[in-house]
Amino acid sequence: MGDASQPQRKMSRAGESLYRVLGLEKGASSEEIKKAYRKLALKYHPDKNPNNPEAAEKFKEINNAHATLSEENRRQIYDQYGSMGLYVAEQFGEESVKYYFLMSKWWFKVGPAGAARCASQYPLGPVCVTPVPGLLFSPAAGPPRQPGPQPRSASPD
């Protein structure tokens, strides 16, 4: 683990805003971001502040904020999902972020009883991830089966 005296970084919307790190409001233009970054980077640069570890840490935060907010895709993810969205993008790719948050919704989860029922219906694997019957199904298993007796298929014996 890290040093107990250091505050732990949170992966949520609760942390300090990247916009605030640069002294800006959310929705600032690319030019405003660039201008604020240059001003703060000069002020907190380690070469201008030798023997000042706080300035070096602030410089790292400023660089991180600028790197995220200057790239349009990452900025859009941050604006919509916060720092957790950036974390998900790093782990699973930028195109997966919206699906991650969609599947994290309360209505997209199934309790243990629903998962057991779903597993018994779909022997090829757990594919039923929503309490809405028939909403999702595995292409390999075909559409969801209706409850009750299944008609027997004619087989050449």
Side-chain angles (χ1 to χ4, degrees):
M1 298 284 280
D3 183 11
S5 65
Q6 292 286 335
Q8 186 174 357
R9 295 189 187 271
K10 297 177 184 172
M11 294 310 248
S12 71
R13 297 177 193 224
E16 186 175 9
S17 166
L18 296 180
Y19 291 101
R20 280 199 207 129
V21 169
L22 294 177
L24 300 168
E25 293 293 321
K26 186 174 180 178
S29 70
S30 296
E31 275 303 311
E32 291 172 318
I33 291 169
K34 189 186 297 186
K35 187 176 179 180
Y37 166 73
R38 286 182 178 165
K39 179 180 174 184
L40 292 171
L42 283 173
K43 181 177 180 181
Y44 290 102
H45 197 280
D47 290 345
K48 289 197 172 201
N49 297 289
N51 305 325
N52 186 350
E54 291 174 6
E57 187 62 31
K58 182 73 173 172
F59 183 74
K60 289 177 189 176
E61 289 178 20
I62 292 165
N63 277 332
N64 179 48
H66 178 257
T68 299
L69 297 177
S70 64
E71 189 178 322
E72 193 58 39
N73 286 343
R74 292 185 67 193
R75 181 179 179 182
Q76 188 175 17
I77 290 170
Y78 178 75
D79 287 347
Q80 190 167 3
Y81 302 108
S83 58
M84 184 64 181
L86 294 174
Y87 176 77
V88 171
E90 286 177 18
Q91 299 300 313
F92 305 110
E94 291 178 1
E95 62 281 346
S96 301
V97 174
K98 65 181 175 183
Y99 300 113
Y100 173 86
F101 285 99
L102 174 69
M103 290 189 300
S104 297
K105 302 273 187 206
W106 67 268
W107 50 265
F108 210 101
K109 297 181 181 177
V110 174
R117 180 176 52 246
C118 195
S120 68
Q121 289 180 343
Y122 303 106
L124 295 177
V127 295
C128 188
V129 292
T130 177
V132 179
L135 183 61
L136 293 179
F137 61 89
S138 169
R145 290 185 235 144
Q146 297 299 320
Q150 298 295 317
R152 297 185 125 195
S153 60
S155 62
D157 289 335

